[in-house]
Amino acid sequence: MLPQISSFSEYQDAYLRSISQPEMFWEEIAQAFEWRKPWEQTLNWNFTEPKIEWFAGGKLNITENCIDRHLANRGNQTAIIWEPNNPNDEVRKITYSQLSEQVNKFSNVLQAKGVAKGDRVCIYMPMVPEAAIAMLACARIGAIHSVVFAGFSSTSLSDRINDAACKVLITADGMLRGEKKIDLKQIADDAIKISPSIETCIVFDHKNFPIQMQNGRDFDWKELMSTSSAIHEATEMDSEDPLFILYTSGSTGKPKGVLHTTAGYMIYTAYTFKNVFQYQEQEVFCCTADIGWVTGHSYIVYGPLLNGATTLMFEGIPSYPDPGRFWSLIEKHRINIFYTAPTAIRALEVFGTEPFEGKDLSSLRVLGSVGEPINEEAWHWYHENVGKGNCPIVDTWWQTETGGILISPLANITPLKPAFATLPLPGVQLAILDEKGNELHGNSIEGNLCIKFPWPGMARSLYNDHERFKSAYFSTYANYYFTGDGCKKDEDGYIRITGRVDDVINVSGHRIGTGEVEDAINEHGYIIESAVVGFPHDIKGQGIWAFVICDREHHSYEELCNEAKAHVGKVIGAFARPDRIQVVKALPKTRSGKIMRRILRKIAEGDTSNLGDTSTLIDPSVVDLIKIGAEEIR
Ligand code: WT7
């Protein structure tokens, strides 16, 4: 049985043990899983190469732990509840036996299409159970899944397919998000045109939209499944064999293909799911994230299934058909644990308490928050209106790279403080460093958040680019994993995340690199240079502000800005569209040609009282002009 901490003193004991004897601590947890062959070495690591291996030599398959192992006792229990975009459409419930059957069948389908262990498979799907089935089937045959969020454009999809040279693309005809129709197959077709590695495209007919199927390349999911056997022997994987790639944005360059491996990720997501949410048998767990982000991977699919839980997948959006949708969802499915993002909470806060009227939320036991810092006001609103003052909020801090939650209260165990992610989970050795790289000790400190010891769920590399893995995370401070976040530790040792300290913007919980947005804007014929920064946004957390330089007169700057915004939507995806574009004559540059983003950030924030030292700028007078322009568009 996977250990479950049941009191604060047990947490403190577990934490101390996990620090003094990390290997022994994780070995005990690893015992709770099914191994084909036990591991030989628990941990082998250094943060210089860096090299991280957990449970090396062990043989297993994660899907035997997610599915097969539950069949004897909970074959008829619901594994996945699916709530459609339109609340009047039919709910689907998939038991563990049905899930097993579907995953086995799709594993056979993939193998029949020539997919072998180590091959990459791209999944570009709506929020339907088939997305999870596709992920699990990949894991079962040892193929590496690369899920791409279905809000990404064809260019972004193709970039990700090409980086990993995926052989197969799994998609659907299309989807509806609220009333918005998205033609996924069309986008997939556009991507495949510039992604020569794709040999096969499997299309799940979700909405019966008219689509083009290319003979010999495109296949219908349901047709392939209808003749596929429901028996499939899982492929034996090594603990450190890759499980998946998931792309995420950094401050510079193209998106990074974060690579996770099998055993460590499995153990970590299972353990954190059970302990953070304090999951109890038979409970219904609902995470509103999309499966295209790591939250969906770890806490819709792997974490819950590894625990034999019932996980709810919601296809829709919080505002459709009305702003009471989440609350109807909770009532309809008697959800016990509800895990969502601050941006959704803030967006719903605007509608007041009316959407709650007549809705029974008494099933709720635990609330969760993820993706960005939750402000105190939203925290209290969530606590009072959704949790009726009775449900703890677990503010879970983590990242694509960390695989699972690293800092969070344990529900009903850790004393809470609004807007604080509170304390590190067992096994997580935090370090707070100052700009110069000195580790700060004690309480009441503030600095850059690092981690100084490996935990099983951490990323092992960036796909095909280990050098970049090293430079992005292990080079800022020698021998530390640098998260890119800043934090404060208060007088009680509680952690409050203050946000990114690099050039990554967090828009509605979506992580966007400023460089990616700049590259997209610069493709506009009239724009020769741009600088993108984040600014505080009431609902999205951060908005995107772009300063652009045009090299010739445009008949309408408003039109130009709209074109540039639309272009970013087309190149990256609608979620990355800048909120504000400001045309400027020049950008604040130093003599070495570096843009002083610090100044632009301050201007976008509307805090221009103290812009700091501008004497190193080639032309300090540009700052005043930008300030005036910013006031006009604010
Ligand atoms: C970045 C990671 C973790 C899964 C979803 C996002 C921010 C995440 C919190 C939180 C404050 C948070 C950080 C982090 N973040 N959770 N509870 N409090 N900030 O994964 O896309 O990899 O983004 O999201 O800035 O670095 P991601």
Side-chain angles (χ1 to χ4, degrees), residues 248 293-295 339 369-374 395-402 407 421 483-485 497-500 506 509-511:
T248 191
W293 307 114
V294 75
T295 312
Y339 189 30
S369 170
V370 63
E372 44 172 329
I374 179 165
D395 177 1
T396 64
W397 176 86
W398 57 297
Q399 312 177 293
T400 305
E401 296 86 344
T402 70
I407 311 179
T483 65
D485 280 314
I497 304 295
T498 49
R500 301 289 303 196
N506 191 325
H510 297 325
R511 188 166 149 183

mmCIF file of all heavy atoms in Angstrom, residues 248 293-295 339 369-374 395-402 407 421 483-485 497-500 506 509-511, ligand 1:
data_model
loop_
_atom_site.group_PDB
_atom_site.id
_atom_site.type_symbol
_atom_site.label_atom_id
_atom_site.label_comp_id
_atom_site.label_asym_id
_atom_site.label_seq_id
_atom_site.Cartn_x
_atom_site.Cartn_y
_atom_site.Cartn_z
ATOM 1 N N THR A 248 7.483 22.825 -23.316
ATOM 2 C CA THR A 248 7.149 23.985 -22.500
ATOM 3 C C THR A 248 8.048 25.145 -22.899
ATOM 4 O O THR A 248 9.074 24.945 -23.540
ATOM 5 C CB THR A 248 7.261 23.668 -20.992
ATOM 6 O OG1 THR A 248 6.685 24.748 -20.255
ATOM 7 C CG2 THR A 248 8.703 23.495 -20.563
ATOM 8 N N TRP A 293 -1.364 19.821 -20.927
ATOM 9 C CA TRP A 293 -0.374 20.410 -20.012
ATOM 10 C C TRP A 293 0.013 19.345 -18.991
ATOM 11 O O TRP A 293 -0.686 18.338 -18.823
ATOM 12 C CB TRP A 293 -0.946 21.636 -19.297
ATOM 13 C CG TRP A 293 -1.523 22.665 -20.230
ATOM 14 C CD1 TRP A 293 -2.836 23.008 -20.316
ATOM 15 C CD2 TRP A 293 -0.829 23.479 -21.190
ATOM 16 N NE1 TRP A 293 -2.997 23.991 -21.272
ATOM 17 C CE2 TRP A 293 -1.786 24.295 -21.819
ATOM 18 C CE3 TRP A 293 0.511 23.599 -21.581
ATOM 19 C CZ2 TRP A 293 -1.464 25.216 -22.819
ATOM 20 C CZ3 TRP A 293 0.840 24.516 -22.574
ATOM 21 C CH2 TRP A 293 -0.131 25.305 -23.174
ATOM 22 N N VAL A 294 1.077 19.619 -18.256
ATOM 23 C CA VAL A 294 1.566 18.588 -17.331
ATOM 24 C C VAL A 294 0.545 18.284 -16.235
ATOM 25 O O VAL A 294 0.452 17.152 -15.753
ATOM 26 C CB VAL A 294 2.941 18.974 -16.738
ATOM 27 C CG1 VAL A 294 2.811 20.053 -15.673
ATOM 28 C CG2 VAL A 294 3.657 17.744 -16.205
ATOM 29 N N THR A 295 -0.251 19.276 -15.851
ATOM 30 C CA THR A 295 -1.247 19.032 -14.803
ATOM 31 C C THR A 295 -2.206 17.926 -15.245
ATOM 32 O O THR A 295 -2.578 17.055 -14.449
ATOM 33 C CB THR A 295 -2.030 20.317 -14.478
ATOM 34 O OG1 THR A 295 -1.088 21.366 -14.294
ATOM 35 C CG2 THR A 295 -2.848 20.160 -13.217
ATOM 36 N N TYR A 339 -9.839 20.549 -8.403
ATOM 37 C CA TYR A 339 -8.494 21.127 -8.584
ATOM 38 C C TYR A 339 -8.521 22.038 -9.807
ATOM 39 O O TYR A 339 -8.742 21.569 -10.919
ATOM 40 C CB TYR A 339 -7.546 19.943 -8.794
ATOM 41 C CG TYR A 339 -6.060 20.187 -8.795
ATOM 42 C CD1 TYR A 339 -5.462 21.209 -8.063
ATOM 43 C CD2 TYR A 339 -5.220 19.332 -9.520
ATOM 44 C CE1 TYR A 339 -4.078 21.371 -8.060
ATOM 45 C CE2 TYR A 339 -3.839 19.484 -9.515
ATOM 46 C CZ TYR A 339 -3.271 20.504 -8.777
ATOM 47 O OH TYR A 339 -1.906 20.650 -8.769
ATOM 48 N N SER A 369 -5.448 24.419 -6.062
ATOM 49 C CA SER A 369 -5.112 25.529 -6.952
ATOM 50 C C SER A 369 -3.759 25.239 -7.583
ATOM 51 O O SER A 369 -2.863 24.714 -6.921
ATOM 52 C CB SER A 369 -5.055 26.822 -6.127
ATOM 53 O OG SER A 369 -4.517 27.875 -6.894
ATOM 54 N N VAL A 370 -3.608 25.591 -8.841
ATOM 55 C CA VAL A 370 -2.348 25.304 -9.540
ATOM 56 C C VAL A 370 -2.124 26.217 -10.735
ATOM 57 O O VAL A 370 -3.078 26.701 -11.331
ATOM 58 C CB VAL A 370 -2.313 23.834 -10.031
ATOM 59 C CG1 VAL A 370 -3.402 23.546 -11.049
ATOM 60 C CG2 VAL A 370 -0.952 23.458 -10.624
ATOM 61 N N GLY A 371 -0.880 26.441 -11.073
ATOM 62 C CA GLY A 371 -0.548 27.086 -12.335
ATOM 63 C C GLY A 371 0.034 28.469 -12.207
ATOM 64 O O GLY A 371 0.759 28.926 -13.074
ATOM 65 N N GLU A 372 -0.307 29.177 -11.148
ATOM 66 C CA GLU A 372 0.161 30.550 -10.960
ATOM 67 C C GLU A 372 -0.100 30.915 -9.507
ATOM 68 O O GLU A 372 -0.865 30.229 -8.815
ATOM 69 C CB GLU A 372 -0.604 31.497 -11.888
ATOM 70 C CG GLU A 372 -2.063 31.163 -11.876
ATOM 71 C CD GLU A 372 -2.965 32.138 -12.616
ATOM 72 O OE1 GLU A 372 -2.662 33.323 -12.671
ATOM 73 O OE2 GLU A 372 -4.004 31.665 -13.072
ATOM 74 N N PRO A 373 0.506 31.993 -9.061
ATOM 75 C CA PRO A 373 0.247 32.386 -7.677
ATOM 76 C C PRO A 373 -1.232 32.724 -7.508
ATOM 77 O O PRO A 373 -1.844 33.330 -8.382
ATOM 78 C CB PRO A 373 1.109 33.646 -7.502
ATOM 79 C CG PRO A 373 2.157 33.572 -8.571
ATOM 80 C CD PRO A 373 1.509 32.854 -9.714
ATOM 81 N N ILE A 374 -1.825 32.286 -6.416
ATOM 82 C CA ILE A 374 -3.211 32.647 -6.144
ATOM 83 C C ILE A 374 -3.181 33.849 -5.191
ATOM 84 O O ILE A 374 -2.538 33.801 -4.141
ATOM 85 C CB ILE A 374 -4.039 31.462 -5.598
ATOM 86 C CG1 ILE A 374 -5.481 31.884 -5.315
ATOM 87 C CG2 ILE A 374 -3.417 30.792 -4.377
ATOM 88 C CD1 ILE A 374 -6.465 30.726 -5.130
ATOM 89 N N ASP A 395 -2.675 24.794 -2.280
ATOM 90 C CA ASP A 395 -2.047 25.638 -3.304
ATOM 91 C C ASP A 395 -0.776 24.918 -3.702
ATOM 92 O O ASP A 395 0.213 24.919 -2.976
ATOM 93 C CB ASP A 395 -1.768 27.021 -2.697
ATOM 94 C CG ASP A 395 -1.035 27.949 -3.665
ATOM 95 O OD1 ASP A 395 -0.754 27.543 -4.810
ATOM 96 O OD2 ASP A 395 -0.734 29.087 -3.252
ATOM 97 N N THR A 396 -0.830 24.248 -4.852
ATOM 98 C CA THR A 396 0.234 23.334 -5.252
ATOM 99 C C THR A 396 1.204 23.995 -6.220
ATOM 100 O O THR A 396 0.832 24.367 -7.318
ATOM 101 C CB THR A 396 -0.363 22.084 -5.931
ATOM 102 O OG1 THR A 396 -1.019 22.485 -7.150
ATOM 103 C CG2 THR A 396 -1.382 21.394 -5.038
ATOM 104 N N TRP A 397 2.439 24.127 -5.804
ATOM 105 C CA TRP A 397 3.454 24.702 -6.706
ATOM 106 C C TRP A 397 4.272 23.586 -7.335
ATOM 107 O O TRP A 397 4.776 22.695 -6.640
ATOM 108 C CB TRP A 397 4.405 25.647 -5.957
ATOM 109 C CG TRP A 397 5.478 26.121 -6.890
ATOM 110 C CD1 TRP A 397 5.411 27.186 -7.737
ATOM 111 C CD2 TRP A 397 6.755 25.499 -7.122
ATOM 112 N NE1 TRP A 397 6.568 27.257 -8.486
ATOM 113 C CE2 TRP A 397 7.396 26.247 -8.137
ATOM 114 C CE3 TRP A 397 7.393 24.382 -6.575
ATOM 115 C CZ2 TRP A 397 8.666 25.921 -8.606
ATOM 116 C CZ3 TRP A 397 8.657 24.044 -7.060
ATOM 117 C CH2 TRP A 397 9.289 24.813 -8.063
ATOM 118 N N TRP A 398 4.391 23.656 -8.642
ATOM 119 C CA TRP A 398 5.262 22.723 -9.368
ATOM 120 C C TRP A 398 5.396 23.196 -10.802
ATOM 121 O O TRP A 398 4.957 24.302 -11.135
ATOM 122 C CB TRP A 398 4.758 21.292 -9.268
ATOM 123 C CG TRP A 398 3.349 21.009 -9.735
ATOM 124 C CD1 TRP A 398 2.195 21.516 -9.216
ATOM 125 C CD2 TRP A 398 2.945 20.137 -10.798
ATOM 126 N NE1 TRP A 398 1.106 21.006 -9.888
ATOM 127 C CE2 TRP A 398 1.539 20.159 -10.856
ATOM 128 C CE3 TRP A 398 3.643 19.324 -11.693
ATOM 129 C CZ2 TRP A 398 0.814 19.408 -11.802
ATOM 130 C CZ3 TRP A 398 2.924 18.574 -12.615
ATOM 131 C CH2 TRP A 398 1.527 18.619 -12.661
ATOM 132 N N GLN A 399 6.013 22.396 -11.651
ATOM 133 C CA GLN A 399 6.318 22.789 -13.030
ATOM 134 C C GLN A 399 6.304 21.560 -13.939
ATOM 135 O O GLN A 399 6.414 20.429 -13.446
ATOM 136 C CB GLN A 399 7.738 23.381 -13.108
ATOM 137 C CG GLN A 399 8.057 24.414 -12.079
ATOM 138 C CD GLN A 399 9.493 24.886 -12.197
ATOM 139 O OE1 GLN A 399 10.423 24.123 -11.959
ATOM 140 N NE2 GLN A 399 9.686 26.143 -12.567
ATOM 141 N N THR A 400 6.248 21.818 -15.237
ATOM 142 C CA THR A 400 6.352 20.723 -16.204
ATOM 143 C C THR A 400 7.594 19.877 -15.883
ATOM 144 O O THR A 400 7.546 18.649 -15.929
ATOM 145 C CB THR A 400 6.478 21.298 -17.632
ATOM 146 O OG1 THR A 400 5.377 22.176 -17.857
ATOM 147 C CG2 THR A 400 6.488 20.208 -18.679
ATOM 148 N N GLU A 401 8.666 20.565 -15.557
ATOM 149 C CA GLU A 401 9.938 19.885 -15.326
ATOM 150 C C GLU A 401 9.961 19.065 -14.046
ATOM 151 O O GLU A 401 10.776 18.165 -13.895
ATOM 152 C CB GLU A 401 11.079 20.917 -15.244
ATOM 153 C CG GLU A 401 11.331 21.697 -16.527
ATOM 154 C CD GLU A 401 10.434 22.933 -16.666
ATOM 155 O OE1 GLU A 401 9.417 23.036 -15.947
ATOM 156 O OE2 GLU A 401 10.766 23.790 -17.505
ATOM 157 N N THR A 402 9.097 19.394 -13.099
ATOM 158 C CA THR A 402 9.172 18.692 -11.811
ATOM 159 C C THR A 402 8.324 17.427 -11.804
ATOM 160 O O THR A 402 8.409 16.647 -10.863
ATOM 161 C CB THR A 402 8.753 19.592 -10.622
ATOM 162 O OG1 THR A 402 7.341 19.839 -10.690
ATOM 163 C CG2 THR A 402 9.520 20.909 -10.611
ATOM 164 N N ILE A 407 5.750 21.765 -3.739
ATOM 165 C CA ILE A 407 5.443 22.540 -2.527
ATOM 166 C C ILE A 407 3.931 22.648 -2.428
ATOM 167 O O ILE A 407 3.277 23.110 -3.366
ATOM 168 C CB ILE A 407 6.041 23.962 -2.579
ATOM 169 C CG1 ILE A 407 7.517 23.924 -2.975
ATOM 170 C CG2 ILE A 407 5.848 24.668 -1.242
ATOM 171 C CD1 ILE A 407 8.169 25.305 -3.074
ATOM 172 N N ALA A 421 2.059 28.542 -0.776
ATOM 173 C CA ALA A 421 2.131 27.124 -1.153
ATOM 174 C C ALA A 421 2.601 26.308 0.060
ATOM 175 O O ALA A 421 2.641 25.086 0.008
ATOM 176 C CB ALA A 421 3.054 26.944 -2.342
ATOM 177 N N THR A 483 14.606 26.839 -10.674
ATOM 178 C CA THR A 483 13.223 26.730 -11.130
ATOM 179 C C THR A 483 12.781 27.867 -12.044
ATOM 180 O O THR A 483 11.801 27.730 -12.764
ATOM 181 C CB THR A 483 12.266 26.755 -9.921
ATOM 182 O OG1 THR A 483 12.375 28.048 -9.285
ATOM 183 C CG2 THR A 483 12.608 25.673 -8.917
ATOM 184 N N GLY A 484 13.468 29.028 -11.949
ATOM 185 C CA GLY A 484 13.003 30.208 -12.690
ATOM 186 C C GLY A 484 12.004 31.035 -11.905
ATOM 187 O O GLY A 484 11.551 32.074 -12.371
ATOM 188 N N ASP A 485 11.640 30.567 -10.707
ATOM 189 C CA ASP A 485 10.695 31.305 -9.869
ATOM 190 C C ASP A 485 11.401 31.997 -8.710
ATOM 191 O O ASP A 485 12.425 31.524 -8.223
ATOM 192 C CB ASP A 485 9.651 30.345 -9.264
ATOM 193 C CG ASP A 485 8.549 30.001 -10.254
ATOM 194 O OD1 ASP A 485 8.039 30.913 -10.908
ATOM 195 O OD2 ASP A 485 8.200 28.810 -10.371
ATOM 196 N N ILE A 497 5.232 31.787 -3.378
ATOM 197 C CA ILE A 497 5.853 31.944 -4.696
ATOM 198 C C ILE A 497 5.506 33.346 -5.205
ATOM 199 O O ILE A 497 4.343 33.750 -5.196
ATOM 200 C CB ILE A 497 5.313 30.892 -5.684
ATOM 201 C CG1 ILE A 497 5.511 29.465 -5.150
ATOM 202 C CG2 ILE A 497 5.942 31.053 -7.071
ATOM 203 C CD1 ILE A 497 6.943 29.026 -4.993
ATOM 204 N N THR A 498 6.538 34.081 -5.647
ATOM 205 C CA THR A 498 6.266 35.452 -6.096
ATOM 206 C C THR A 498 6.163 35.550 -7.619
ATOM 207 O O THR A 498 5.777 36.585 -8.137
ATOM 208 C CB THR A 498 7.358 36.403 -5.579
ATOM 209 O OG1 THR A 498 8.632 35.827 -5.864
ATOM 210 C CG2 THR A 498 7.227 36.609 -4.080
ATOM 211 N N GLY A 499 6.514 34.491 -8.331
ATOM 212 C CA GLY A 499 6.383 34.512 -9.794
ATOM 213 C C GLY A 499 7.725 34.340 -10.477
ATOM 214 O O GLY A 499 8.761 34.215 -9.828
ATOM 215 N N ARG A 500 7.688 34.320 -11.793
ATOM 216 C CA ARG A 500 8.894 34.046 -12.569
ATOM 217 C C ARG A 500 9.887 35.194 -12.439
ATOM 218 O O ARG A 500 9.507 36.358 -12.397
ATOM 219 C CB ARG A 500 8.540 33.870 -14.053
ATOM 220 C CG ARG A 500 7.566 32.760 -14.366
ATOM 221 C CD ARG A 500 8.092 31.379 -14.199
ATOM 222 N NE ARG A 500 9.274 31.078 -14.964
ATOM 223 C CZ ARG A 500 9.713 29.827 -15.186
ATOM 224 N NH1 ARG A 500 9.031 28.782 -14.716
ATOM 225 N NH2 ARG A 500 10.804 29.617 -15.857
ATOM 226 N N ASN A 506 3.262 34.201 -17.441
ATOM 227 C CA ASN A 506 2.255 33.208 -17.085
ATOM 228 C C ASN A 506 0.876 33.823 -17.322
ATOM 229 O O ASN A 506 0.370 34.588 -16.516
ATOM 230 C CB ASN A 506 2.450 32.803 -15.622
ATOM 231 C CG ASN A 506 1.613 31.593 -15.259
ATOM 232 O OD1 ASN A 506 0.495 31.426 -15.754
ATOM 233 N ND2 ASN A 506 2.135 30.751 -14.391
ATOM 234 N N GLY A 509 -2.298 30.858 -16.417
ATOM 235 C CA GLY A 509 -1.684 29.561 -16.130
ATOM 236 C C GLY A 509 -0.957 28.954 -17.318
ATOM 237 O O GLY A 509 -0.384 27.885 -17.211
ATOM 238 N N HIS A 510 -0.977 29.628 -18.471
ATOM 239 C CA HIS A 510 -0.224 29.138 -19.630
ATOM 240 C C HIS A 510 1.141 29.807 -19.636
ATOM 241 O O HIS A 510 1.248 31.014 -19.532
ATOM 242 C CB HIS A 510 -0.921 29.482 -20.952
ATOM 243 C CG HIS A 510 -2.266 28.855 -21.107
ATOM 244 N ND1 HIS A 510 -2.570 27.609 -20.616
ATOM 245 C CD2 HIS A 510 -3.388 29.295 -21.707
ATOM 246 C CE1 HIS A 510 -3.821 27.309 -20.917
ATOM 247 N NE2 HIS A 510 -4.349 28.324 -21.572
ATOM 248 N N ARG A 511 2.141 28.994 -19.793
ATOM 249 C CA ARG A 511 3.507 29.500 -19.736
ATOM 250 C C ARG A 511 3.953 29.892 -21.139
ATOM 251 O O ARG A 511 3.927 29.067 -22.049
ATOM 252 C CB ARG A 511 4.342 28.358 -19.197
ATOM 253 C CG ARG A 511 5.718 28.664 -18.884
ATOM 254 C CD ARG A 511 6.213 27.487 -18.046
ATOM 255 N NE ARG A 511 7.607 27.289 -18.281
ATOM 256 C CZ ARG A 511 8.308 26.301 -17.746
ATOM 257 N NH1 ARG A 511 7.715 25.411 -16.990
ATOM 258 N NH2 ARG A 511 9.584 26.189 -17.986
HETATM 259 C C1 WT7 B 1 5.222 27.663 -13.561
HETATM 260 C C2 WT7 B 1 5.248 26.300 -14.170
HETATM 261 C C3 WT7 B 1 2.468 23.145 -12.334
HETATM 262 C C4 WT7 B 1 1.598 22.753 -13.399
HETATM 263 C C5 WT7 B 1 1.035 23.868 -14.191
HETATM 264 C C6 WT7 B 1 2.039 24.830 -14.731
HETATM 265 C C7 WT7 B 1 3.916 28.755 -11.970
HETATM 266 C C8 WT7 B 1 2.661 26.819 -10.968
HETATM 267 C C9 WT7 B 1 2.070 27.625 -9.051
HETATM 268 C C10 WT7 B 1 1.567 27.944 -7.754
HETATM 269 C C11 WT7 B 1 2.619 30.023 -7.951
HETATM 270 C C12 WT7 B 1 2.832 28.593 -9.727
HETATM 271 C C13 WT7 B 1 5.379 28.918 -11.614
HETATM 272 C C14 WT7 B 1 6.037 27.757 -12.303
HETATM 273 N N1 WT7 B 1 3.176 28.060 -10.919
HETATM 274 N N2 WT7 B 1 1.990 26.546 -9.851
HETATM 275 N N3 WT7 B 1 0.815 27.102 -7.035
HETATM 276 N N4 WT7 B 1 1.881 29.164 -7.245
HETATM 277 N N5 WT7 B 1 3.106 29.792 -9.170
HETATM 278 O O1 WT7 B 1 3.187 24.198 -15.216
HETATM 279 O O2 WT7 B 1 3.443 25.380 -17.383
HETATM 280 O O3 WT7 B 1 5.390 24.203 -16.321
HETATM 281 O O4 WT7 B 1 4.486 26.330 -15.353
HETATM 282 O O5 WT7 B 1 3.897 27.986 -13.170
HETATM 283 O O6 WT7 B 1 5.843 30.131 -12.127
HETATM 284 O O7 WT7 B 1 7.391 27.962 -12.592
HETATM 285 P P1 WT7 B 1 4.163 25.004 -16.144
#
